[in-house]
Amino acid sequence: MEEKISKAKYLAITAIVCLVLIFNFLSLASPILGASFGLIYLIFYSFILGSLLTVKKGWQIIFGCLSLFSVISIIGAFLIYTYQFNDYLFILILLLIPAGLFIPYYQFKPKEKFFLKKFLKEYFDKFTERKEPKSNLGLVISYLVLAAINFFLLFKGQTAESIQSPWEVVSPKFFLIYFLATAVLLTYLFRANRTKLPIIILIIHTFLSSSVALIVYKIGYGFDPFIHQATELIIAKTGTINPKPLYYLGQYALVIFLNKLTAVDLALIDRLLVPTLFSLFLPPVIFYVFSQWLKKNYALVLTLSFLTIPYSGFIMTAPQNLANLFFLIAIFLSLLYFRNLISVYFLYLLAAATLVIHPLAGIPLLITVILFNLFKILYHSYIRQLSLYFLAALVFILFLPLAFLVNGSKINWLPQIHRADLYLMGWVDKFDLPLNLAYLVSLNQAVLAALIISLGLFYIAKHKLLKNNAAYFVAALVILADFIIARYFLTFPELNDYDKNFFVQRLIALAFYVLAPFFLIGLYYLIKKFWAEWPEAKAKNWFNKTFIVLILSGVITISLYLSYPRLNQYEPAKFFSLSQSDIKAVNLIEQIANFDHIVLANQMVGVAAIKEFGFKKYYANQFYYSMPMGNPQTFYQAYLDMIYQGTKRQTMEKIMQQANVSEAYFVLNRYWNNAEKIAKVAAANADSVYDIDNGKIYIFKYTNQ
């Protein structure tokens, strides 16, 4: 029977929670009180909102929270762009959410009142009915011990130094223990009688897998997150940002809302956002979707098997990563739409939220949802309307390229295809078996993914379901066509060749995400082949099961390794992380410098300045620390000249004249190539020299009298 919370309890909970949150926001600013009542607020109203989306108990909070975050992102982005997302409007949204849900929730008279005691008793009865054998209990305890050891190793390796890879400071034992933990977890999932406990453990394992950078990099990981955190801080203080971008605002609104709701440090919320949501949302969604068709044990195993796909896009918070997460969740939930278990409006809501977070994912998702909706409408007259459907798909191919052109891209009438673009397979041997296997997967991941997706297509074709899923292939082809157009027929004046390739390559990931359900179906086909009973030979059955557990555990461990920056003989590391020495350097410069000055330094020192002082000042339309972003980049080019073209005083004097300042600083990190030689030359022609942490960073002061 449908159960609903009484109106009196709803109003009482709303009054208490909202009053405490508002009082804490305006007066106490206690993170403990804010986090506690903020969590109650999110869970309670996620449950209420989720009750409007599904009657399935236990899943209302997941669906409701996704919807709640989407609504907050959309409304917050609108306010930031059109007016302000200030303190008064935060309080208004805080109150409007429970007020707006009250009437829809009670639109239909409840058949039975909701009693927490009764709900818990029913759950406990089900829990005892599905009693696990002692061997399963042993597997659960073994996994938790191994996972705890891995978390301990990550915290033990935590550092504030400049590193190129987390694996430089994390013990190599981490991989062996992670492999064993994954194998134990897989064994348990194949044997589990329950579902909620395995899902909780899957959430823990997903968070363990995606939180390596979050834990190891004490100050923070990456480059972009610091830029976004500084922007979010400005919006949190002023309500808006100028100039107002047309993108990223959805993430900014969500982070700022959670910051005001909980009083937890904004930078910490930002850092936690994507790895936490990736862990909390994706495993339950994948399980719930596949449990509609498969035995629950296989659905659990497929949920863990998603980690065979490298997930570097979900290890840190950035608008593209958050948008990709919403994109992926929407794709999996669309399977429920075709089964009439959710409304298409839920998918449109996720698409709208993705659009205001990052259009590069939002526009393709909106197109995909429209194609799904159109396909379902035309399905009963599929043969007669097939040409109309494909014509619509061809029209949708133009939408994203047109958006690029409106945003400043130009048409390239002479596209060039390089040999490297056709490189799909590879092999490298550096006489290191574990790394050879890892890079065998890495260099051939496109081919491996295509093969497994093909197995998934074979499986659904075998069950005469290929036509039913045609919309997924059409949507993937539309996004793939957009990639080809953007890669070869458009130019992006604001981006260099490397950044352009990295930018448009994101469309390949989105095309794969559209086909991700079929990738997992292909894995299911393989797993079932090995895990199915072999009555004619128990030994063979045991061998096959052991084999599939070890292979899956190995591939998931390889995926973990490939999801983070690597420093080995197979490929060069891309960048150094932000360090405490960088922060000390920018603070020292701030103390000794005149107000008007510029600093030539690598991008991570510039990030340290943004972290400490925000977007403080600009000269000649450039941030006063040299950065490889925006246009022009004469400061950064001058920095490169100091590094590679001879460390000349004339370079510093020329850039000071251009910026119209009389003081400039050249910052050199010790990890730079030929740092000692460069430092020696710079010391000879600089006015003053300072060093940070016994020579980890040198600061050279130049004045132009």
Side-chain angles (χ1 to χ4, degrees), residues 546-684:
T546 304
F547 176 78
I548 195 63
V549 166
L550 294 179
I551 289 296
L552 275 176
S553 301
V555 175
I556 290 172
T557 304
I558 288 172
S559 178
L560 168 82
Y561 178 75
L562 296 176
S563 297
Y564 293 90
R566 303 170 293 281
L567 181 64
N568 54 47
Q569 67 268 36
Y570 292 76
E571 60 179 328
K574 303 258 184 326
F575 71 96
F576 283 87
S577 63
L578 179 64
S579 71
Q580 193 62 42
S581 299
D582 294 321
I583 293 175
K584 288 180 181 179
V586 299
N587 278 290
L588 176 61
I589 293 172
E590 199 69 15
Q591 292 171 13
I592 64 176
N594 294 330
F595 179 80
D596 290 316
H597 67 278
I598 60 172
V599 182
L600 304 188
N602 77 62
Q603 63 186 29
M604 299 314 295
V605 177
V607 160
I610 291 173
K611 177 178 172 60
E612 293 294 292
F613 315 119
F615 305 103
K616 186 174 181 179
K617 51 191 173 183
Y618 286 75
Y619 297 97
N621 294 320
Q622 299 174 73
F623 186 59
Y624 74 117
Y625 273 73
S626 57
M627 301 286 279
M629 54 190 292
N631 193 22
Q633 296 182 14
T634 55
F635 292 178
Y636 192 72
Q637 184 57 53
Y639 167 71
L640 295 179
D641 290 343
M642 291 290 286
I643 293 290
Y644 296 115
Q645 304 300 324
T647 312
K648 302 172 183 176
R649 185 179 180 90
Q650 293 91 323
T651 303
M652 299 298 291
E653 290 175 346
K654 181 180 178 182
I655 205 67
M656 280 189 279
Q657 184 178 6
Q658 179 186 327
N660 195 25
V661 297
S662 60
E663 191 172 287
Y665 295 83
F666 170 55
V667 180
L668 179 68
N669 296 72
R670 186 167 63 189
Y671 55 66
W672 206 266
N673 288 336
N674 298 319
E676 291 185 8
K677 181 180 177 182
I678 296 170
K680 187 176 180 180
V681 176

